[in-house]
Amino acid sequence: MIHDVGAIAKKCGLGNILSGRRTSPGVREKLEGEFAEIRKSGVEVLDFSKIDIVDFSAADEIVAKLAGRMEQGEYGEGTILLSGCNDAVREGLEVALKQKDLCLMHVDGKKKWSLVGELNPYLRETLDLCMRDGTLLARDLAAELKLKLNTASTRLINLFAKHLVLRKEDQENKIGREYTYCSPLSALP
């Protein structure tokens, strides 16, 4: 589901500049109240296209708290994506997310993406492969990067724990559990 952050801010009596901690919880609470897809292993998109500036305090209060709660599992197995961020919005979000060692994906359509926040280089390498191919299995990652299977599995599990990829269990596998890790872009409306 796509959430128009500008429209939500307007409902909270705010304009297109999100600033400070006192007014920001209302925006976050309205967003959380609208979350439905994330609880079904889906995607929630926060569209900032009608917002001009988000300062650090508002970014921390709204987006970093949402990202932290997501990483703690409060919203299930889905993910939160960002869209429509101009440079001033992105800067505020970047600082707030980096300070808490969090990372979210910014999307521009169904093919272009970038990261906002901090991600280890080895996880970034793995994410790049998953995003390139759309899906990734641990055995394919192990073969491509010449890794041990358990190392490849751990990388994918860590990306999933950060909610940067989605995951589906392979029902056909009779030997043990195997997951297909998927680009969240595949779940966009």
Side-chain angles (χ1 to χ4, degrees), residues 4 9 25 38 50 83 89 102 126 139 143-144 169 176:
D4 182 340
I38 196 168
K50 294 179 185 159
S83 73
V89 169
L102 296 167
T126 305
R139 59 185 141 96
E144 180 148 349
E169 188 171 355

PDB file of all heavy atoms in Angstrom, residues 4 9 25 38 50 83 89 102 126 139 143-144 169 176:
ATOM      1  N   ASP A   4       0.607   8.400   1.365  1.00  0.00           N
ATOM      2  CA  ASP A   4       0.973   9.773   1.023  1.00  0.00           C
ATOM      3  C   ASP A   4       1.295  10.516   2.321  1.00  0.00           C
ATOM      4  O   ASP A   4       0.391  10.952   3.042  1.00  0.00           O
ATOM      5  CB  ASP A   4      -0.181  10.429   0.276  1.00  0.00           C
ATOM      6  CG  ASP A   4       0.115  11.843  -0.175  1.00  0.00           C
ATOM      7  OD1 ASP A   4       1.040  12.479   0.376  1.00  0.00           O
ATOM      8  OD2 ASP A   4      -0.594  12.324  -1.074  1.00  0.00           O
ATOM      9  N   ALA A   9       0.354  14.254   6.857  1.00  0.00           N
ATOM     10  CA  ALA A   9       0.821  15.423   7.605  1.00  0.00           C
ATOM     11  C   ALA A   9      -0.254  16.511   7.622  1.00  0.00           C
ATOM     12  O   ALA A   9      -0.492  17.153   8.653  1.00  0.00           O
ATOM     13  CB  ALA A   9       2.118  15.956   6.992  1.00  0.00           C
ATOM     14  N   PRO A  25       4.913  12.534  16.168  1.00  0.00           N
ATOM     15  CA  PRO A  25       4.286  11.259  16.545  1.00  0.00           C
ATOM     16  C   PRO A  25       2.906  11.059  15.915  1.00  0.00           C
ATOM     17  O   PRO A  25       2.525   9.934  15.602  1.00  0.00           O
ATOM     18  CB  PRO A  25       4.193  11.331  18.076  1.00  0.00           C
ATOM     19  CG  PRO A  25       5.296  12.230  18.469  1.00  0.00           C
ATOM     20  CD  PRO A  25       5.372  13.261  17.362  1.00  0.00           C
ATOM     21  N   ILE A  38       2.062  -4.899   5.377  1.00  0.00           N
ATOM     22  CA  ILE A  38       3.314  -5.329   6.013  1.00  0.00           C
ATOM     23  C   ILE A  38       3.085  -6.525   6.923  1.00  0.00           C
ATOM     24  O   ILE A  38       3.911  -7.403   7.038  1.00  0.00           O
ATOM     25  CB  ILE A  38       3.976  -4.153   6.768  1.00  0.00           C
ATOM     26  CG1 ILE A  38       5.440  -4.474   7.074  1.00  0.00           C
ATOM     27  CG2 ILE A  38       3.213  -3.797   8.029  1.00  0.00           C
ATOM     28  CD1 ILE A  38       6.239  -3.285   7.552  1.00  0.00           C
ATOM     29  N   LYS A  50       5.226  14.919  -1.614  1.00  0.00           N
ATOM     30  CA  LYS A  50       4.591  16.208  -1.280  1.00  0.00           C
ATOM     31  C   LYS A  50       5.208  16.851  -0.036  1.00  0.00           C
ATOM     32  O   LYS A  50       4.660  17.790   0.517  1.00  0.00           O
ATOM     33  CB  LYS A  50       3.095  16.000  -1.084  1.00  0.00           C
ATOM     34  CG  LYS A  50       2.398  15.585  -2.367  1.00  0.00           C
ATOM     35  CD  LYS A  50       0.932  15.364  -2.152  1.00  0.00           C
ATOM     36  CE  LYS A  50       0.312  14.835  -3.434  1.00  0.00           C
ATOM     37  NZ  LYS A  50      -0.950  14.146  -3.182  1.00  0.00           N
ATOM     38  N   SER A  83       9.646   6.453  -1.031  1.00  0.00           N
ATOM     39  CA  SER A  83       9.610   6.944  -2.411  1.00  0.00           C
ATOM     40  C   SER A  83       9.415   8.457  -2.389  1.00  0.00           C
ATOM     41  O   SER A  83       8.975   9.020  -1.385  1.00  0.00           O
ATOM     42  CB  SER A  83       8.501   6.267  -3.230  1.00  0.00           C
ATOM     43  OG  SER A  83       7.238   6.741  -2.847  1.00  0.00           O
ATOM     44  N   VAL A  89      14.760  15.912   2.039  1.00  0.00           N
ATOM     45  CA  VAL A  89      14.064  14.858   2.790  1.00  0.00           C
ATOM     46  C   VAL A  89      15.021  13.691   3.013  1.00  0.00           C
ATOM     47  O   VAL A  89      15.161  13.178   4.131  1.00  0.00           O
ATOM     48  CB  VAL A  89      12.793  14.396   2.038  1.00  0.00           C
ATOM     49  CG1 VAL A  89      12.214  13.131   2.667  1.00  0.00           C
ATOM     50  CG2 VAL A  89      11.759  15.506   1.999  1.00  0.00           C
ATOM     51  N   LEU A 102      20.200   1.618  10.937  1.00  0.00           N
ATOM     52  CA  LEU A 102      19.047   1.108  10.206  1.00  0.00           C
ATOM     53  C   LEU A 102      19.182   1.463   8.737  1.00  0.00           C
ATOM     54  O   LEU A 102      19.944   2.358   8.368  1.00  0.00           O
ATOM     55  CB  LEU A 102      17.748   1.711  10.758  1.00  0.00           C
ATOM     56  CG  LEU A 102      17.414   1.355  12.204  1.00  0.00           C
ATOM     57  CD1 LEU A 102      16.308   2.259  12.732  1.00  0.00           C
ATOM     58  CD2 LEU A 102      17.027  -0.105  12.317  1.00  0.00           C
ATOM     59  N   THR A 126      25.218  -8.764  -1.485  1.00  0.00           N
ATOM     60  CA  THR A 126      24.161  -9.778  -1.571  1.00  0.00           C
ATOM     61  C   THR A 126      22.849  -9.155  -2.031  1.00  0.00           C
ATOM     62  O   THR A 126      22.158  -9.711  -2.894  1.00  0.00           O
ATOM     63  CB  THR A 126      23.987 -10.467  -0.202  1.00  0.00           C
ATOM     64  OG1 THR A 126      25.256 -10.995   0.208  1.00  0.00           O
ATOM     65  CG2 THR A 126      22.959 -11.573  -0.268  1.00  0.00           C
ATOM     66  N   ARG A 139      21.756 -21.359  -2.331  1.00  0.00           N
ATOM     67  CA  ARG A 139      22.692 -22.158  -3.140  1.00  0.00           C
ATOM     68  C   ARG A 139      23.177 -21.385  -4.368  1.00  0.00           C
ATOM     69  O   ARG A 139      24.320 -21.537  -4.786  1.00  0.00           O
ATOM     70  CB  ARG A 139      22.088 -23.504  -3.520  1.00  0.00           C
ATOM     71  CG  ARG A 139      20.834 -23.468  -4.303  1.00  0.00           C
ATOM     72  CD  ARG A 139      20.302 -24.911  -4.491  1.00  0.00           C
ATOM     73  NE  ARG A 139      18.879 -24.972  -4.373  1.00  0.00           N
ATOM     74  CZ  ARG A 139      18.063 -24.948  -5.417  1.00  0.00           C
ATOM     75  NH1 ARG A 139      18.530 -24.891  -6.634  1.00  0.00           N
ATOM     76  NH2 ARG A 139      16.768 -25.013  -5.228  1.00  0.00           N
ATOM     77  N   ALA A 143      27.077 -20.291  -5.050  1.00  0.00           N
ATOM     78  CA  ALA A 143      27.768 -20.611  -6.303  1.00  0.00           C
ATOM     79  C   ALA A 143      28.338 -19.354  -6.954  1.00  0.00           C
ATOM     80  O   ALA A 143      29.494 -19.353  -7.404  1.00  0.00           O
ATOM     81  CB  ALA A 143      26.804 -21.305  -7.271  1.00  0.00           C
ATOM     82  N   GLU A 144      27.555 -18.270  -6.988  1.00  0.00           N
ATOM     83  CA  GLU A 144      28.009 -17.056  -7.669  1.00  0.00           C
ATOM     84  C   GLU A 144      29.185 -16.391  -6.965  1.00  0.00           C
ATOM     85  O   GLU A 144      30.109 -15.916  -7.607  1.00  0.00           O
ATOM     86  CB  GLU A 144      26.863 -16.049  -7.817  1.00  0.00           C
ATOM     87  CG  GLU A 144      27.308 -14.788  -8.518  1.00  0.00           C
ATOM     88  CD  GLU A 144      26.238 -14.129  -9.348  1.00  0.00           C
ATOM     89  OE1 GLU A 144      25.171 -14.719  -9.582  1.00  0.00           O
ATOM     90  OE2 GLU A 144      26.507 -12.999  -9.775  1.00  0.00           O
ATOM     91  N   GLU A 169       8.783 -19.582   1.395  1.00  0.00           N
ATOM     92  CA  GLU A 169       9.267 -20.938   1.608  1.00  0.00           C
ATOM     93  C   GLU A 169       8.953 -21.780   0.381  1.00  0.00           C
ATOM     94  O   GLU A 169       7.866 -21.702  -0.183  1.00  0.00           O
ATOM     95  CB  GLU A 169       8.618 -21.561   2.840  1.00  0.00           C
ATOM     96  CG  GLU A 169       9.229 -22.893   3.206  1.00  0.00           C
ATOM     97  CD  GLU A 169       8.747 -23.436   4.540  1.00  0.00           C
ATOM     98  OE1 GLU A 169       8.002 -22.743   5.246  1.00  0.00           O
ATOM     99  OE2 GLU A 169       9.121 -24.571   4.850  1.00  0.00           O
ATOM    100  N   GLY A 176      14.448 -30.456   3.175  1.00  0.00           N
ATOM    101  CA  GLY A 176      14.490 -29.549   4.319  1.00  0.00           C
ATOM    102  C   GLY A 176      13.867 -28.229   3.915  1.00  0.00           C
ATOM    103  O   GLY A 176      13.245 -28.122   2.868  1.00  0.00           O
TER     104      GLY A 176
END
